[in-house]
Amino acid sequence: MTERGPAPGRRGIPTARNVDHVAYTVADLAEAVAFFVDVLGGDLVYREGPIRRDDDWMAERLDVHPRAVAEIAMIRLGPTCNVELFQYTAPGRRTDPPRNHDVGGHHLAIAVEDIDAAVAYLAAQPGVRILGGPETIEHGPIAGNRWTYLRTPIGITLELLAIPDGSLPYEKETAARRYAGEPGGWDSGH
């Protein structure tokens, strides 16, 4: 058996092609699916579950209580982002989401063309709380970026960001680029 590693001069996971999805554990899967589909404009790809095991598979493979029960949904947001949502029922489950400064804290950032319109829309949605802003970053590698954070009723922090001319100062230092999306929004291809 030969060991397959990165080609000489390459780094990273051998044969990796792309990031397939990000995943969030939520308290109520139906509510989270409704938020991602009805408010954020995603498409429900599939739902699965309940998934349960009578052995230690859940603990060994997913690092959850061995008798946890999982329900899962996959949501497609735009042309490149898949979001997997998990709802677990398990003994000792915490329901408070981590704050941004906690280990495991997280947020989902969505690029928009008109951040003021996006903030106004989300501020009008039940249970959404805008955390100030939008404000503009004045200095540094992402100067010009306008952004704001908000809390959703499903416990996930969102960031909205808008890059006015489509480029940022760090691009002068590297050929690496962030995916900027298509004009007209992610639903323009439907």
Side-chain angles (χ1 to χ4, degrees):
M1 180 172 168
T2 61
E3 235 181 270
R4 291 179 51 166
R10 301 271 314 192
R11 58 193 172 135
I13 301 170
T15 74
R17 296 183 341 196
N18 59 282
V19 173
D20 183 76
H21 66 273
V22 295
Y24 295 98
T25 298
V26 297
D28 183 317
L29 188 62
E31 182 183 11
V33 167
F35 185 82
F36 270 85
V37 171
D38 299 337
V39 175
L40 297 183
D43 294 314
L44 176 62
V45 178
Y46 64 81
R47 284 188 70 151
E48 182 178 9
I51 300 168
R52 59 174 51 90
R53 299 288 292 255
D54 292 330
D55 56 13
D56 289 338
W57 187 91
M58 296 291 271
E60 292 168 354
R61 301 299 193 289
L62 300 173
D63 196 23
V64 298
H65 190 280
R67 300 302 162 257
V69 177
E71 293 188 54
I72 304 168
M74 182 69 76
I75 307 293
R76 179 63 178 248
L77 284 178
T80 62
C81 184
N82 300 305
V83 178
E84 189 174 36
L85 301 170
F86 284 83
Q87 178 184 330
Y88 286 102
T89 304
R93 177 178 79 126
R94 287 184 26 227
T95 57
D96 293 331
R99 294 179 61 194
N100 284 326
H101 65 259
D102 294 331
V103 172
H106 56 272
H107 71 274
L108 179 63
I110 298 174
V112 298
E113 291 179 26
D114 184 337
I115 195 165
D116 297 311
V119 168
Y121 166 76
L122 287 167
Q125 303 302 315
V128 172
R129 184 168 55 101
I130 307 299
L131 301 178
E135 58 185 78
T136 302
I137 297 173
E138 300 293 334
H139 307 286
I142 58 172
N145 179 30
R146 289 191 70 213
W147 66 278
T148 192
Y149 273 28
L150 53 104
R151 291 292 288 178
T152 67
I154 60 171
I156 295 172
T157 300
L158 291 182
E159 176 184 3
L160 298 178
L161 62 99
I163 302 168
D165 65 2
S167 65
L168 293 169
Y170 79 86
E171 293 177 349
K172 295 174 186 153
E173 308 296 324
T174 179
R177 298 291 182 267
R178 294 158 61 170
Y179 178 74
E182 300 298 325
W186 59 37
D187 65 348
S188 60
H190 286 201

PDB file of all heavy atoms in Angstrom, residues 24-40:
ATOM      1  N   TYR A  24     -24.438  23.942  11.731  1.00  0.00           N
ATOM      2  CA  TYR A  24     -24.829  24.564  12.989  1.00  0.00           C
ATOM      3  C   TYR A  24     -25.799  23.640  13.701  1.00  0.00           C
ATOM      4  O   TYR A  24     -26.685  23.060  13.067  1.00  0.00           O
ATOM      5  CB  TYR A  24     -25.542  25.905  12.754  1.00  0.00           C
ATOM      6  CG  TYR A  24     -24.675  26.955  12.139  1.00  0.00           C
ATOM      7  CD1 TYR A  24     -24.707  27.207  10.773  1.00  0.00           C
ATOM      8  CD2 TYR A  24     -23.806  27.708  12.927  1.00  0.00           C
ATOM      9  CE1 TYR A  24     -23.904  28.177  10.207  1.00  0.00           C
ATOM     10  CE2 TYR A  24     -22.999  28.670  12.363  1.00  0.00           C
ATOM     11  CZ  TYR A  24     -23.053  28.904  11.009  1.00  0.00           C
ATOM     12  OH  TYR A  24     -22.249  29.862  10.453  1.00  0.00           O
ATOM     13  N   THR A  25     -25.651  23.540  15.012  1.00  0.00           N
ATOM     14  CA  THR A  25     -26.630  22.837  15.830  1.00  0.00           C
ATOM     15  C   THR A  25     -27.614  23.885  16.339  1.00  0.00           C
ATOM     16  O   THR A  25     -27.207  24.933  16.846  1.00  0.00           O
ATOM     17  CB  THR A  25     -25.951  22.108  17.002  1.00  0.00           C
ATOM     18  OG1 THR A  25     -25.058  21.129  16.447  1.00  0.00           O
ATOM     19  CG2 THR A  25     -26.968  21.425  17.884  1.00  0.00           C
ATOM     20  N   VAL A  26     -28.895  23.594  16.178  1.00  0.00           N
ATOM     21  CA  VAL A  26     -29.954  24.539  16.544  1.00  0.00           C
ATOM     22  C   VAL A  26     -30.891  23.882  17.547  1.00  0.00           C
ATOM     23  O   VAL A  26     -30.950  22.664  17.664  1.00  0.00           O
ATOM     24  CB  VAL A  26     -30.732  25.004  15.289  1.00  0.00           C
ATOM     25  CG1 VAL A  26     -29.811  25.770  14.339  1.00  0.00           C
ATOM     26  CG2 VAL A  26     -31.390  23.838  14.569  1.00  0.00           C
ATOM     27  N   ALA A  27     -31.644  24.705  18.264  1.00  0.00           N
ATOM     28  CA  ALA A  27     -32.582  24.194  19.263  1.00  0.00           C
ATOM     29  C   ALA A  27     -33.844  23.624  18.619  1.00  0.00           C
ATOM     30  O   ALA A  27     -34.416  22.658  19.102  1.00  0.00           O
ATOM     31  CB  ALA A  27     -32.953  25.291  20.259  1.00  0.00           C
ATOM     32  N   ASP A  28     -34.291  24.225  17.520  1.00  0.00           N
ATOM     33  CA  ASP A  28     -35.545  23.827  16.879  1.00  0.00           C
ATOM     34  C   ASP A  28     -35.310  23.787  15.365  1.00  0.00           C
ATOM     35  O   ASP A  28     -35.201  24.837  14.723  1.00  0.00           O
ATOM     36  CB  ASP A  28     -36.638  24.831  17.240  1.00  0.00           C
ATOM     37  CG  ASP A  28     -37.997  24.464  16.693  1.00  0.00           C
ATOM     38  OD1 ASP A  28     -38.092  24.035  15.522  1.00  0.00           O
ATOM     39  OD2 ASP A  28     -38.984  24.648  17.427  1.00  0.00           O
ATOM     40  N   LEU A  29     -35.247  22.584  14.810  1.00  0.00           N
ATOM     41  CA  LEU A  29     -34.916  22.442  13.392  1.00  0.00           C
ATOM     42  C   LEU A  29     -35.971  23.078  12.483  1.00  0.00           C
ATOM     43  O   LEU A  29     -35.624  23.750  11.518  1.00  0.00           O
ATOM     44  CB  LEU A  29     -34.729  20.963  13.033  1.00  0.00           C
ATOM     45  CG  LEU A  29     -34.191  20.697  11.630  1.00  0.00           C
ATOM     46  CD1 LEU A  29     -32.811  21.299  11.431  1.00  0.00           C
ATOM     47  CD2 LEU A  29     -34.171  19.193  11.360  1.00  0.00           C
ATOM     48  N   ALA A  30     -37.238  22.890  12.791  1.00  0.00           N
ATOM     49  CA  ALA A  30     -38.293  23.469  11.946  1.00  0.00           C
ATOM     50  C   ALA A  30     -38.180  24.991  11.908  1.00  0.00           C
ATOM     51  O   ALA A  30     -38.299  25.611  10.841  1.00  0.00           O
ATOM     52  CB  ALA A  30     -39.673  23.036  12.426  1.00  0.00           C
ATOM     53  N   GLU A  31     -37.946  25.604  13.062  1.00  0.00           N
ATOM     54  CA  GLU A  31     -37.796  27.061  13.124  1.00  0.00           C
ATOM     55  C   GLU A  31     -36.557  27.512  12.347  1.00  0.00           C
ATOM     56  O   GLU A  31     -36.588  28.509  11.622  1.00  0.00           O
ATOM     57  CB  GLU A  31     -37.704  27.512  14.582  1.00  0.00           C
ATOM     58  CG  GLU A  31     -37.588  29.002  14.756  1.00  0.00           C
ATOM     59  CD  GLU A  31     -37.418  29.436  16.211  1.00  0.00           C
ATOM     60  OE1 GLU A  31     -37.178  28.581  17.090  1.00  0.00           O
ATOM     61  OE2 GLU A  31     -37.511  30.649  16.461  1.00  0.00           O
ATOM     62  N   ALA A  32     -35.450  26.770  12.473  1.00  0.00           N
ATOM     63  CA  ALA A  32     -34.221  27.132  11.775  1.00  0.00           C
ATOM     64  C   ALA A  32     -34.384  26.995  10.262  1.00  0.00           C
ATOM     65  O   ALA A  32     -33.951  27.867   9.503  1.00  0.00           O
ATOM     66  CB  ALA A  32     -33.057  26.274  12.268  1.00  0.00           C
ATOM     67  N   VAL A  33     -35.018  25.915   9.810  1.00  0.00           N
ATOM     68  CA  VAL A  33     -35.256  25.741   8.375  1.00  0.00           C
ATOM     69  C   VAL A  33     -36.126  26.881   7.855  1.00  0.00           C
ATOM     70  O   VAL A  33     -35.833  27.482   6.816  1.00  0.00           O
ATOM     71  CB  VAL A  33     -35.889  24.369   8.070  1.00  0.00           C
ATOM     72  CG1 VAL A  33     -36.423  24.309   6.647  1.00  0.00           C
ATOM     73  CG2 VAL A  33     -34.886  23.250   8.315  1.00  0.00           C
ATOM     74  N   ALA A  34     -37.176  27.214   8.590  1.00  0.00           N
ATOM     75  CA  ALA A  34     -38.056  28.314   8.164  1.00  0.00           C
ATOM     76  C   ALA A  34     -37.271  29.621   8.068  1.00  0.00           C
ATOM     77  O   ALA A  34     -37.447  30.392   7.118  1.00  0.00           O
ATOM     78  CB  ALA A  34     -39.235  28.459   9.126  1.00  0.00           C
ATOM     79  N   PHE A  35     -36.389  29.904   9.018  1.00  0.00           N
ATOM     80  CA  PHE A  35     -35.603  31.136   8.978  1.00  0.00           C
ATOM     81  C   PHE A  35     -34.675  31.141   7.764  1.00  0.00           C
ATOM     82  O   PHE A  35     -34.613  32.121   7.024  1.00  0.00           O
ATOM     83  CB  PHE A  35     -34.798  31.318  10.275  1.00  0.00           C
ATOM     84  CG  PHE A  35     -34.070  32.627  10.329  1.00  0.00           C
ATOM     85  CD1 PHE A  35     -34.731  33.788  10.715  1.00  0.00           C
ATOM     86  CD2 PHE A  35     -32.736  32.714   9.984  1.00  0.00           C
ATOM     87  CE1 PHE A  35     -34.073  35.014  10.750  1.00  0.00           C
ATOM     88  CE2 PHE A  35     -32.066  33.932  10.011  1.00  0.00           C
ATOM     89  CZ  PHE A  35     -32.729  35.077  10.400  1.00  0.00           C
ATOM     90  N   PHE A  36     -33.948  30.057   7.547  1.00  0.00           N
ATOM     91  CA  PHE A  36     -33.020  30.001   6.422  1.00  0.00           C
ATOM     92  C   PHE A  36     -33.741  30.075   5.080  1.00  0.00           C
ATOM     93  O   PHE A  36     -33.225  30.675   4.140  1.00  0.00           O
ATOM     94  CB  PHE A  36     -32.147  28.741   6.495  1.00  0.00           C
ATOM     95  CG  PHE A  36     -30.873  28.945   7.268  1.00  0.00           C
ATOM     96  CD1 PHE A  36     -30.852  28.814   8.642  1.00  0.00           C
ATOM     97  CD2 PHE A  36     -29.697  29.283   6.614  1.00  0.00           C
ATOM     98  CE1 PHE A  36     -29.686  29.012   9.361  1.00  0.00           C
ATOM     99  CE2 PHE A  36     -28.523  29.482   7.322  1.00  0.00           C
ATOM    100  CZ  PHE A  36     -28.520  29.347   8.696  1.00  0.00           C
ATOM    101  N   VAL A  37     -34.921  29.468   4.974  1.00  0.00           N
ATOM    102  CA  VAL A  37     -35.650  29.462   3.703  1.00  0.00           C
ATOM    103  C   VAL A  37     -36.478  30.731   3.531  1.00  0.00           C
ATOM    104  O   VAL A  37     -36.344  31.445   2.539  1.00  0.00           O
ATOM    105  CB  VAL A  37     -36.539  28.196   3.598  1.00  0.00           C
ATOM    106  CG1 VAL A  37     -37.476  28.273   2.400  1.00  0.00           C
ATOM    107  CG2 VAL A  37     -35.663  26.942   3.526  1.00  0.00           C
ATOM    108  N   ASP A  38     -37.320  31.042   4.498  1.00  0.00           N
ATOM    109  CA  ASP A  38     -38.269  32.154   4.344  1.00  0.00           C
ATOM    110  C   ASP A  38     -37.638  33.525   4.529  1.00  0.00           C
ATOM    111  O   ASP A  38     -38.018  34.479   3.846  1.00  0.00           O
ATOM    112  CB  ASP A  38     -39.433  31.995   5.328  1.00  0.00           C
ATOM    113  CG  ASP A  38     -40.224  30.720   5.100  1.00  0.00           C
ATOM    114  OD1 ASP A  38     -40.185  30.172   3.975  1.00  0.00           O
ATOM    115  OD2 ASP A  38     -40.872  30.249   6.060  1.00  0.00           O
ATOM    116  N   VAL A  39     -36.679  33.651   5.430  1.00  0.00           N
ATOM    117  CA  VAL A  39     -36.083  34.960   5.709  1.00  0.00           C
ATOM    118  C   VAL A  39     -34.802  35.180   4.912  1.00  0.00           C
ATOM    119  O   VAL A  39     -34.617  36.230   4.298  1.00  0.00           O
ATOM    120  CB  VAL A  39     -35.822  35.137   7.225  1.00  0.00           C
ATOM    121  CG1 VAL A  39     -35.096  36.444   7.515  1.00  0.00           C
ATOM    122  CG2 VAL A  39     -37.134  35.066   8.002  1.00  0.00           C
ATOM    123  N   LEU A  40     -33.909  34.167   4.888  1.00  0.00           N
ATOM    124  CA  LEU A  40     -32.635  34.339   4.200  1.00  0.00           C
ATOM    125  C   LEU A  40     -32.706  33.983   2.715  1.00  0.00           C
ATOM    126  O   LEU A  40     -31.798  34.319   1.961  1.00  0.00           O
ATOM    127  CB  LEU A  40     -31.542  33.515   4.883  1.00  0.00           C
ATOM    128  CG  LEU A  40     -31.229  33.900   6.332  1.00  0.00           C
ATOM    129  CD1 LEU A  40     -30.082  33.069   6.861  1.00  0.00           C
ATOM    130  CD2 LEU A  40     -30.958  35.380   6.485  1.00  0.00           C
TER     131      LEU A  40
END
